[in-house]
């Protein structure tokens, strides 16, 4: 529990906010709308993946790959306010280029 939280209510709000954020990001639909679907042999370029997500979500996420396959997508949000009454505001990469990482 966070310090100062006597009931755990902060934690409940945090997990609800995380679940709501997850549900607002239908990544498979974002990709499918651009004709991108999981496949054992077909590959997609980084630009294709990022363009599809940016077109649907409006922001550029970070993509993680393992053994040449996409295995994670990280979206970014600022919290305006507190966990109890705040709002998640999405934002994208600000590095001047896409962030990529390999596991």
């Amino acid at each position: 529990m966070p310090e100062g939280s006597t009931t755990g209510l902060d934690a409940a709000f945090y997990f609800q906010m995380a679940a709501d954020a997850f549900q607002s990001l239908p990544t498979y639909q974002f990709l499918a709308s651009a004709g991108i679907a999981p496949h054992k042999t077909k590959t997609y370029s980084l630009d294709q993946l990022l363009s599809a997500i940016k077109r649907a979500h409006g922001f550029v996420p970070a993509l993680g790959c393992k053994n040449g396959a996409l295995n994670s997508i990280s979206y970014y949000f600022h919290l305006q306010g507190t966990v109890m009454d705040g709002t998640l505001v999405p934002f994208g990469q600000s590095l001047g280029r896409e962030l990529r990482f390999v596991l």
Side-chain angles (χ1 to χ4, degrees):
M1 303 268 197
E3 186 174 326
S5 175
T6 57
T7 65
L9 195 54
D10 290 350
F13 274 87
Y14 169 80
F15 286 109
Q16 184 61 56
M17 185 177 280
D20 291 345
F22 175 79
Q23 291 176 346
S24 75
L25 297 164
T27 304
Y28 280 107
Q29 291 176 4
F30 293 169
L31 297 172
S33 70
I36 299 171
H39 197 276
K40 289 184 179 187
T41 59
K42 187 169 183 174
T43 60
Y44 302 95
S45 71
L46 178 62
D47 288 337
Q48 287 174 299
L49 296 169
L50 291 175
S51 293
I53 295 169
K54 185 174 182 181
R55 190 176 318 112
H57 174 55
F59 299 92
V60 177
L63 304 182
C65 298
K66 185 173 184 178
N67 299 325
L70 178 65
N71 74 340
S72 67
I73 299 176
S74 298
Y75 294 94
Y76 299 97
F77 294 89
H78 287 293
L79 174 61
Q80 288 184 335
T82 68
V83 170
M84 301 275 291
D85 64 1
T87 302
L88 291 176
V89 179
F91 70 96
Q93 301 292 337
S94 60
L95 302 175
R97 59 179 168 74
E98 295 84 17
L99 178 63
R100 305 165 206 166
F101 58 94
V102 178
L103 301 176

